[in-house]
């Protein structure tokens, strides 16, 4: 059955190798089932329902990847995209989380249209590498700032806006310890380093009396009712959300496409001159976004942690099927996810932020017309507390600088169109 479904011999792999690869990837990305509910509850959503939605969205998305694309890639609500959902759409723009879910659904629908029509590939090819890298790095800084704030390491200051908090407070000390544990485990190449770091801080917090112990380790999954089909599509058609949906689509495009290509190349799934399943994989991650919004979570995307499974030998959808089943089993561990404090997930966010900041190395710092818009994007995302605003500053400045310096031939129509849309937003806001 597995041979017929996944063509194992054709990909020079085995059932055992694929299952081990799936377990490996799951361990490296399963921290999201703890982190995502903690972030989305800040938007006013029910923690238990978001936990279930996160597991089910990962299950559905990865299952589609397994059977439609036959690629060894895990899907789940994306880091950065959940921050955009909470801190930009709900808290920053004062929309309800129901309207935000509607925006995610619409972005997923548009995402499918862009993918099927080929416009998605056209956009990806047209956006300069410097801006793409700057967006990832800027979101990384944003996540890091959010994490340091939740751990009380960075606090509000009337004199300097922000300042150093009390690093001797329990929250700060637990967060610092958790970060060091994650870095140590990652250095030692321990699978699931981020998840183990979160759990280590949580256990220590329980033993020191700062967190209540769970009544049980395993239980029946909580109800999904508080978030299931609660999206407000009509409300998401509000003018202000049109600008946010544009930013959401751009982040989704760069996040998912870059990850899919990176993992596919690492697993030798894309060979020059040979047919591949990239279009099917792109379609799979597009449909996963819509599924996630219906269940009640932010945008689902392909996970870069899937590289770990590829390195372990994963080559087919059987790896993805294994990941999907493990996310489904994770539904029964809700009591653990519920008691994890914010300062235990903060180290995970900071570590992910550090990984995302590696993208600055892809920016062409020798060319001012490339580096200045990129730098503006990286800096403005955390300082304006808005991914959308950072994207706007980056695209607008890139187009204008290229024009005034006579480098207009460097401009791809996709970049010009996106810049014009952002200018229109600011002009009529």
């Amino acid at each position: 059955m597995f041979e017929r479904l996944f063509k194992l011999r054709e990909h020079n792999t085995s059932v055992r190798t694929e299952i081990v690869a799936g377990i490996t990837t799951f361990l490296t990305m399963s921290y999201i089932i703890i982190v995502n509910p903690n972030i989305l509850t800040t938007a006013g959503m029910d923690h238990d329902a978001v936990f279930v939605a996160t597991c089910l969205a990962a299950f559905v998305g990865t299952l589609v990847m397994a059977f439609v694309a036959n690629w060894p890639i895990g899907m789940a609500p994306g880091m950065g995209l959940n921050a955009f959902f909470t801190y930009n759409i709900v808290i920053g723009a004062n929309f309800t989380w129901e309207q935000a879910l509607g925006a995610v659904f619409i972005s997923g629908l548009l995402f499918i249209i862009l993918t099927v029509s080929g416009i998605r590939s056209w956009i990806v090819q047209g956006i300069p590498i410097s801006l793409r890298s700057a967006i990832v790095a800027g979101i990384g800084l944003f996540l890091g700032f959010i994490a340091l704030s939740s751990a009380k390491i960075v606090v509000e200051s009337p004199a300097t806006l922000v300042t150093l908090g009390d690093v001797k407070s329990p929250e700060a000390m637990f967060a610092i310890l958790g970060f060091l544990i994650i870095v140590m485990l990652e250095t030692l190449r321990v699978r699931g380093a981020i998840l183990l770091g979160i759990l280590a801080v949580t256990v220590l917090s329980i033993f020191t009396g700062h967190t209540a112990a769970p009544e049980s380790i395993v239980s029946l999954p909580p109800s999904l009712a508080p978030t299931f089909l609660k999206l407000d599509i009509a409300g998401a058609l509000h003018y202000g959300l049109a600008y946010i949906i544009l930013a959401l689509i751009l982040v989704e495009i760069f996040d998912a496409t870059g990850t899919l290509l990176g993992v596919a190349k690492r697993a030798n799934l894309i060979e020059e001159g040979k047919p591949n399943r990239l279009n099917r994989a792109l379609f799979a991650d597009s449909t996963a976004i819509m599924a996630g919004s219906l269940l009640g979570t932010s945008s689902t995307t392909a996970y870069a942690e899937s590289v770990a499974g590829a390195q372990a030998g994963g080559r087919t959808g059987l790896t993805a099927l294994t990941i999907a089943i493990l996310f489904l089993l994770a539904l029964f561990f809700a009591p653990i996810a519920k008691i994890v404090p914010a300062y235990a997930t903060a180290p995970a966010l900071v570590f992910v932020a550090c990984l995302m900041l590696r993208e600055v190395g892809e920016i062409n710092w020798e060319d001012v017309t490339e580096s200045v818009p990129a730098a503006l994007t990286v800096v403005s995302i955390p300082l304006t507390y808005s991914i959308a605003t950072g994207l706007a500053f980056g695209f607008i400045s890139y187009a204008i600088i290229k024009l005034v310096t006579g480098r207009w031939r460097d401009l791809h129509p996709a970049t010009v169109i996106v810049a014009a849309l952002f200018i229109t937003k600011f002009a009529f806001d």
Side-chain angles (χ1 to χ4, degrees):
M1 180 183 68
F2 288 138
E3 174 60 35
R4 186 177 71 256
L5 287 172
F6 303 113
K7 298 179 174 58
L8 302 180
R9 279 195 289 270
E10 181 183 318
H11 290 87
N12 194 28
T13 185
S14 66
V15 172
R16 181 184 180 279
T17 299
E18 294 292 302
I19 292 176
V20 170
I23 294 172
T24 300
T25 296
F26 174 77
L27 288 174
T28 60
M29 64 182 288
S30 56
Y31 64 88
I32 193 62
I33 63 178
I34 295 174
V35 176
N36 197 53
N38 278 6
I39 291 177
L40 296 192
T41 50
T42 307
M45 301 180 72
D46 180 82
H47 182 282
D48 288 349
V50 173
F51 167 79
V52 175
T54 301
C55 293
L56 289 179
F59 169 73
V60 172
T62 309
L63 206 63
V64 174
M65 184 64 70
F67 290 107
V68 173
N70 194 23
W71 274 15
I73 294 176
M75 307 282 291
M79 294 294 294
L81 289 164
N82 50 14
F84 184 78
F85 181 100
T86 298
Y87 298 101
N88 289 172
I89 303 179
V90 178
I91 296 177
N94 293 316
F95 289 102
T96 66
W97 61 262
E98 292 91 346
Q99 290 173 319
L101 286 176
V104 172
F105 179 86
I106 293 170
S107 74
L109 181 61
L110 294 174
F111 212 33
I112 291 177
I113 295 171
L114 293 175
T115 300
V116 172
S117 65
I119 296 175
R120 175 177 177 172
S121 298
W122 179 74
I123 293 174
V124 171
Q125 292 168 2
I127 304 304
I129 294 174
S130 292
L131 272 186
R132 276 186 270 170
S133 300
I135 291 167
V136 176
I139 293 174
L141 280 179
F142 187 44
L143 285 175
F145 184 60
I146 291 169
L148 293 174
S149 299
S150 68
K152 309 298 182 186
I153 295 175
V154 171
V155 296
E156 185 180 358
S157 168
T160 58
L161 298 182
V162 293
T163 188
L164 179 66
D166 181 9
V167 293
K168 293 181 290 185
S169 68
E171 295 95 335
M173 294 187 72
F174 277 127
I176 293 169
L177 176 62
F179 181 73
L180 293 176
I181 291 173
I182 292 172
V183 173
M184 179 189 70
L185 293 176
E186 189 68 28
T187 303
L188 297 173
R189 299 186 183 279
V190 175
R191 299 300 183 195
I194 295 177
L195 178 64
L196 290 173
I198 293 172
L199 294 178
V201 171
T202 302
V203 170
L204 185 60
S205 183
I206 291 172
F207 278 120
T208 56
H210 291 90
T211 299
E215 295 180 1
S216 62
I217 302 298
V218 179
S219 71
L220 290 175
S223 172
L224 183 63
T227 60
F228 184 59
L229 298 181
K230 297 296 184 182
L231 64 168
D232 180 3
I233 297 175
L237 296 174
H238 188 282
Y239 166 72
L241 266 174
Y243 154 68
I244 289 174
I245 290 171
L246 169 63
L248 191 58
I249 290 173
L250 289 174
V251 175
E252 289 168 348
I253 285 176
F254 302 138
D255 191 336
T257 307
T259 298
L260 287 170
L261 288 172
V263 177
K265 288 177 181 177
R266 185 71 63 90
N268 295 319
L269 298 172
I270 298 179
E271 297 182 39
E272 199 68 39
K274 291 187 178 181
N276 59 69
R277 292 174 173 259
L278 177 59
N279 286 336
R280 291 193 178 193
L282 293 173
F283 179 78
D285 83 335
S286 303
T287 55
I289 293 172
M290 295 179 66
S293 68
L294 295 171
L295 291 165
T297 185
S298 52
S299 300
T300 302
T301 188
Y303 260 63
E305 284 83 351
S306 301
V307 169
Q311 289 175 331
R315 294 293 180 271
T316 74
L318 181 53
T319 294
L321 176 60
T322 304
I323 298 167
I325 292 172
L326 290 173
F327 269 113
L328 196 62
L329 293 175
L331 283 169
F332 297 95
F333 293 89
I336 296 177
K338 190 172 184 177
I339 56 99
V340 174
Y343 52 76
T345 57
L349 292 177
V350 175
F351 183 72
V352 170
C354 293
L355 298 181
M356 295 175 78
L357 280 168
R358 293 183 298 188
E359 287 290 325
V360 296
E362 300 298 319
I363 298 172
N364 183 4
W365 294 104
E366 300 302 319
D367 185 345
V368 174
T369 64
E370 296 283 335
S371 62
V372 169
L376 277 174
T377 303
V378 173
V379 172
S380 59
I381 287 176
L383 293 186
T384 63
Y385 219 70
S386 170
I387 295 171
T389 300
L391 264 66
F393 283 5
F395 277 94
I396 293 172
S397 62
Y398 187 90
I400 292 176
I401 290 172
K402 289 290 186 182
L403 285 172
V404 298
T405 56
R407 301 272 295 274
W408 57 270
R409 289 185 180 85
D410 293 347
L411 288 171
H412 189 277
T415 306
V416 176
I417 291 171
V418 173
L421 289 172
F422 280 129
I423 289 173
T424 302
K425 187 270 173 186
F426 284 122
F428 295 98
D429 196 4

